[in-house]
Amino acid sequence: MNAEEQFTSLYQAHHGAILRYASRRTDPDTARDVVAETFLVAWRRLAAVPAEPGQAEPWLYAVARRVLANVERSRRRSQRVAERVWHESHDEQAPDPASAVSERARIAQALSQLNEADREALRLIGWEELDIAGAALVMGCSRSAMAVRLYRARRRLDRALAAVDAADQPLPALEQHVVGQES
């Protein structure tokens, strides 16, 4: 099989999975850009793509993860520059804290309380349905380290979910007792 056929096969087999991976982490336009960049890296480094069955997709996830990290760093830099320019050109006004508040789903709120490594470990296993070995390849660690990371991430998620649930519980109504009266 020549390089073009090998790449075409790789692309056809894994494009959908890599697009779903990126789409779960960013907006649709950026997700498509991430997928394009991921497969560009795969084409340039075709010899580095694992030939073993089941290893190419985690390798592509690892590439996509790095591309997403680069996109996010670039986005943060652009945002900082835009904010600085805006602040320099406008009077300093206190931001409205209410505009920053948004309604979040229970799981999304709990996930947001976790660090990025925990979120990524849980996403790789839960959303991408990788096994421990595949997730370890994406995260750049050993299988045993990934198993420990996943165990700890699940425990932290359980605690975060409990905290979200507790915060959503209304306070019990105080019973009114009137001295000398029976209800």
Side-chain angles (χ1 to χ4, degrees):
M1 183 182 295
N2 67 29
E4 188 174 328
E5 291 170 340
Q6 183 183 358
F7 178 77
T8 300
S9 175
L10 179 74
Y11 182 85
Q12 289 172 343
H14 302 291
H15 177 267
I18 302 305
L19 181 58
R20 286 188 299 276
Y21 174 89
S23 295
R24 289 182 182 117
R25 289 159 175 79
T26 190
D27 63 90
D29 290 334
T30 304
R32 286 189 293 275
D33 291 344
V34 166
V35 170
E37 182 70 22
T38 298
F39 280 100
L40 178 62
V41 170
W43 172 252
R44 289 178 178 161
R45 299 190 57 217
L46 196 55
V49 177
E52 300 86 34
Q55 294 299 308
E57 193 167 287
W59 187 89
L60 289 167
Y61 284 144
V63 171
R65 181 172 182 249
R66 288 188 289 278
V67 170
L68 279 164
N70 289 339
V71 166
E72 186 55 34
R73 276 192 295 278
S74 177
R75 186 177 286 158
R76 284 193 307 261
R77 276 193 305 269
S78 296
Q79 185 176 7
R80 283 192 305 265
V81 168
E83 287 173 359
R84 188 174 57 230
V85 168
W86 188 89
H87 286 299
E88 288 173 0
S89 65
H90 292 82
D91 292 335
E92 282 292 321
Q93 296 177 353
D96 180 12
S99 67
V101 177
S102 65
E103 192 64 37
R104 293 183 185 244
R106 179 176 171 260
I107 299 296
Q109 188 174 1
L111 280 173
S112 71
Q113 296 174 16
L114 303 179
N115 65 41
E116 179 57 32
D118 287 347
R119 286 193 303 263
E120 187 66 5
L122 292 166
R123 288 180 195 144
L124 289 169
I125 299 296
W127 289 353
E128 309 313 330
E129 299 178 357
L130 291 178
D131 60 7
I132 296 290
L137 181 63
V138 173
M139 297 289 286
C141 62
S142 69
R143 290 175 64 165
S144 58
M146 185 65 212
V148 171
R149 284 183 183 184
L150 183 60
Y151 173 77
R152 290 177 179 164
R154 285 177 174 157
R155 287 183 47 209
R156 289 182 188 115
L157 179 60
D158 286 343
R159 287 193 299 268
L161 285 169
V164 168
D165 291 344
D168 287 342
Q169 294 296 319
L171 294 175
L174 295 176
E175 294 182 26
Q176 293 181 344
H177 296 283
V178 179
V179 177
Q181 290 187 342
E182 296 268 335
S183 299

